[in-house]
């Protein structure tokens, strides 16, 4: 391991408040970024809520869907567990990839593409 110098102390104003232009959470210089409005934050919250709802809405129906393929209760339980594990594994692999893509093309582009893809998968699941 190599020795790493400690980061410089963050400049603070009166009563421990950050100096103007510095991020409140980490102290970085955020003056170059445009402010984010409340409408944008609430839109993002709504998109995430709908996305999580779409992802978790199907969970109660998975055992019934898997049981239609046949097999006893033990086989159905194994298939549901396998399906859930595969979904978690794919999510674990896909999240860093989406993060790298968003670093290259921008978060908004990736969020829009992901939301459109998620909506498309929900429509496809309906048929």
């Amino acid at each position: 391991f190599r020795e790493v110098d400690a980061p410089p102390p963050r400049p603070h104003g009166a009563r421990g408040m950050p100096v103007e232009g510095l991020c409140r959470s980490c102290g970085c210089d955020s003056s170059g970024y445009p402010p984010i409005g409340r409408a944008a934050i609430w839109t993002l919250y709504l998109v995430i809520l709908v996305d999580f709802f779409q992802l978790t809405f199907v969970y109660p129906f998975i055992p019934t869907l898997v049981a239609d393929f046949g097999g006893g209760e033990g086989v159905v339980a194994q298939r549901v567990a396998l399906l859930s594990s595969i979904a978690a594994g794919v999510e674990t692999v896909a999240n860093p990839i989406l993060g790298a893509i968003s670093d290259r093309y921008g978060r908004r582009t990736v969020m829009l593409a992901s939301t459109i893809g998620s909506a498309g998968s929900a429509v496809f699941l309906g048929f």
Side-chain angles (χ1 to χ4, degrees):
F1 295 107
R2 64 183 182 134
E3 291 185 26
V4 179
D5 294 332
R10 295 185 292 180
H12 282 74
R15 292 187 273 173
M17 296 301 293
V19 176
E20 191 64 35
L22 297 181
C23 178
R24 291 184 184 180
S25 61
C26 68
C28 65
D29 184 14
S30 60
S31 60
Y33 297 105
I36 298 173
R38 284 189 175 273
I41 295 294
W42 283 108
T43 302
L44 185 60
Y45 282 150
L46 180 65
V47 166
I48 291 171
L49 174 74
V50 169
D51 191 43
F52 278 132
F53 178 75
Q54 184 240 335
L55 286 173
T56 58
F57 181 75
V58 74
Y59 287 159
F61 303 110
I62 288 177
T64 305
L65 293 170
V66 172
D68 288 342
F69 289 107
E73 286 184 22
V75 173
V76 170
Q78 287 177 348
R79 290 178 182 167
V80 169
L82 181 64
L83 187 62
S84 299
S85 298
I86 290 172
V90 168
E91 186 177 338
T92 301
V93 170
N95 280 335
I97 294 170
L98 285 174
I101 292 171
S102 71
D103 288 342
R104 182 169 184 168
Y105 296 106
R107 290 185 187 127
R108 180 180 177 155
T109 306
V110 173
M111 281 291 290
L112 287 173
S114 297
T115 302
I116 291 169
S118 184
S121 71
V123 169
F124 182 71
L125 182 66
F127 288 109

